[in-house]
């Protein structure tokens, strides 16, 4: 089991790098760590979650919906952090 302080140090070490985070509840999140504070890690996912009424058209040719999505995860809920080599 990972301590909150250990998760904080590892997240700071892996800032702005692609990671895979495993939570105690069994969820897996992949993305880039964009910020870490004393309680949370902020992850920019590689892909945006699909909306139920999503459309296939975006007004800009290089629009990336994932770029504006940030997932917030509690440090105490992290089970494992893996650095991804892409």
């Amino acid at each position: 089991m990972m301590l909150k302080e250990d998760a904080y140090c590892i997240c700071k070490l892996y800032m702005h790098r692609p990671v895979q985070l495993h939570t105690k509840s069994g969820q897996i999140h992949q993305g880039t760590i964009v910020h870490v504070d004393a309680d949370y890690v902020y992850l920019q996912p590689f892909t945006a979650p699909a909306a139920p009424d999503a459309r296939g058209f975006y007004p800009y040719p290089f629009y990336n919906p994932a770029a504006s999505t940030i997932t917030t995860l509690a440090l105490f809920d992290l089970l494992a952090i893996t650095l991804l080599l892409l």
Side-chain angles (χ1 to χ4, degrees), residues 32-53:
T32 302
I33 297 175
V34 293
H35 183 71
V36 181
D37 62 28
D39 297 310
Y40 299 99
V41 57
Y42 301 87
L43 189 73
Q44 182 177 355
F46 295 140
T47 58
D53 61 346

Side-chain angles (χ1 to χ4, degrees), residues 58-74:
Y58 296 107
Y60 303 103
F62 300 107
Y63 176 70
N64 180 4
S68 62
T69 304
I70 301 294
T71 302
T72 305
L73 301 168

Side-chain angles (χ1 to χ4, degrees), residues 13-35:
L13 182 66
Y14 291 166
M15 280 282 292
H16 306 293
R17 300 185 70 185
V19 296
Q20 180 170 298
L21 303 174
H22 296 259
T23 65
K24 293 176 184 175
S25 62
Q27 294 178 326
I28 298 174
H29 301 273
Q30 290 186 346
T32 302
I33 297 175
V34 293
H35 183 71

